[in-house]
Amino acid sequence: MLLTFVELNCENLFDTRHDTLKNDVDFLPDGRYRWTPYRYWKKLNAIGKEIIGCGDTAGGWTMPDLVALVEVENDSVLFDLTRRSLLRSARYEYVMTNSPDERGVDVALLYSPFSFSLLSSSSLRVEPPRGLRPTRDILYASGLTIGGDTLHVFVVHAPSRAQGEGPTRRYRMRVAERIGEAVDSIRAVDGEARIIVAGDFNDYTKNPPLRYLAERGLRSASDGAQGTNGARGTYRYRGDWSSLDHILVSSPMDEILIDCQIYDAPYLLTPDEQYGGSKPARTFLGPRYLGGTSDHLPLVARFRIGIRK
């Protein structure tokens, strides 16, 4: 049996209604981004199509079992995505965080109830260093796979580099350390625990937070992942492909990993007129609406799981 796991940064998947507790006014119909219901539903269906496409493999097609989503606003967005978009027939369930992030950006995990039975979920808070804004909570979920094993999943959206890579580096280290603490707690109970940590770390494999997690026995399943249509990373900046998105796994998951690829179907790409080649077809460039799906491409990892008799 196969278990398919997807990680995707959705690039600001906001609804069109104002949350008085959050600074989401840019993503309103009269806001800076002119985020109208038409644009919202177009993006929802595009994300749904993308997730469906991630189930297409050389051996056939099947819906992904688990989907880690980054940059989703709230429960309303997840309800619309799973119940009212192109994705509705998949009958995904979901859990998500409710973070202190000022814009209301959160992370979520979609799961198929046919292949993953949720046991528990919680949010892990990360205290910001002095002078920095609150960041997204880390989502933790555990459940039983169709093989009968417990799988532990963490979904991460580490602080961005918008205030400078150096000043924010210690913040991302705090996120890594918080994950490390949680992983250690799980392993204290089960030394052979099956663990996946996925999301947008806003760091590269060589950076300290990812090295720290590697030292704690979390291997990068996505290191070196490529697409079949030219993508050599999940993100492209000034002509260079790179990956701020990662899927990390514990040793027992590494042993059953089949492969990890970038899903770069042609409809997710657009010509890079300045640097040549192609790049992800993003929704916005600054406040200018481009109509694409996301500025990140999804990672797709496949695992071979056994069924207990």
Side-chain angles (χ1 to χ4, degrees):
M1 294 290 294
L2 294 182
L3 183 141
T4 303
F5 186 98
V6 173
E7 183 279 336
L8 171 62
N9 183 318
C10 299
E11 189 195 350
N12 293 316
L13 185 51
F14 281 79
D15 64 18
T16 60
R17 297 180 294 276
H18 179 44
D19 182 342
T20 57
L21 299 177
K22 301 294 182 180
N23 183 19
D24 62 356
V25 293
D26 283 345
F27 284 91
L28 297 175
D30 58 352
R32 182 168 176 250
Y33 291 91
R34 302 296 176 189
W35 193 234
T36 63
Y38 170 81
R39 291 179 174 182
Y40 169 63
W41 283 102
K42 179 182 177 182
K43 185 173 177 82
L44 276 179
N45 283 315
I47 294 291
K49 178 181 178 181
E50 183 175 20
I51 292 171
I52 293 169
C54 286
D56 189 13
T57 66
W61 176 87
T62 183
M63 286 298 299
D65 300 286
L66 297 158
V67 185
L69 296 179
V70 175
E71 291 196 14
V72 290
E73 185 186 14
N74 53 33
D75 183 85
S76 295
V77 169
L78 268 294
F79 180 86
D80 287 343
L81 178 65
T82 58
R83 297 294 183 268
R84 304 176 68 192
S85 78
L86 290 175
L87 207 58
R88 60 188 179 275
S89 296
R91 297 172 64 183
Y92 280 119
E93 301 293 336
Y94 62 88
V95 288
M96 71 178 305
T97 55
N98 184 15
S99 303
D101 178 83
E102 293 177 355
R103 295 197 309 136
V105 172
D106 276 295
V107 299
L109 179 70
L110 308 187
Y111 62 92
S112 170
F114 306 108
S115 55
F116 183 81
S117 178
L118 185 71
L119 295 174
S120 67
S121 66
S122 59
S123 295
L124 308 181
R125 188 136 299 176
V126 181
E127 291 300 320
R130 184 183 299 273
L132 295 180
R133 297 189 296 267
T135 192
R136 280 73 56 171
D137 289 350
I138 301 163
L139 175 64
Y140 166 70
S142 66
L144 296 176
T145 67
I146 197 169
D149 293 301
T150 300
L151 178 62
H152 305 269
V153 181
F154 295 87
V155 186
V156 185
H157 186 190
S160 77
R161 300 180 171 207
Q163 295 172 273
E165 192 278 329
T168 56
R169 183 186 305 152
R170 55 184 174 146
Y171 205 172
R172 289 189 295 279
M173 271 304 302
R174 285 196 179 186
V175 171
E177 290 165 356
R178 187 72 179 89
I179 296 168
E181 292 170 0
V183 168
D184 286 347
S185 296
I186 293 170
R187 284 176 169 158
V189 177
D190 180 4
E192 295 298 312
R194 296 188 170 193
I195 302 170
I196 299 177
V197 182
D200 182 347
F201 288 76
N202 273 304
D203 267 317
Y204 307 107
T205 303
K206 64 182 180 181
N207 293 138
L210 274 299
R211 293 205 312 266
Y212 171 85
L213 292 173
E215 291 168 358
R216 303 192 85 81
L218 293 173
R219 177 189 174 274
S220 176
S222 56
D223 191 23
Q226 297 188 26
T228 57
N229 290 291
R232 298 189 300 278
T234 59
Y235 187 81
R236 200 171 198 226
Y237 179 68
R238 294 183 177 177
D240 292 326
W241 286 102
S242 60
S243 288
L244 299 172
D245 306 276
H246 304 274
I247 297 177
L248 312 178
V249 296
S250 62
S251 179
M253 289 303 290
D254 187 29
E255 292 172 0
I256 61 173
L257 175 68
I258 299 172
D259 59 24
C260 185
Q261 299 179 341
I262 296 169
Y263 181 62
D264 64 342
Y267 68 87
L268 296 175
L269 301 172
T270 191
D272 190 333
E273 297 178 357
Q274 183 173 359
Y275 297 100
S278 60
K279 60 183 179 180
R282 60 192 302 159
T283 308
F284 283 96
L285 181 60
R288 184 159 63 95
Y289 180 67
L290 302 179
T293 305
S294 175
D295 56 350
H296 289 241
L297 296 171
L299 290 166
V300 184
R302 298 187 304 148
F303 304 88
R304 190 174 302 282
I305 59 175
I307 298 180
R308 293 183 179 178
K309 296 181 181 180

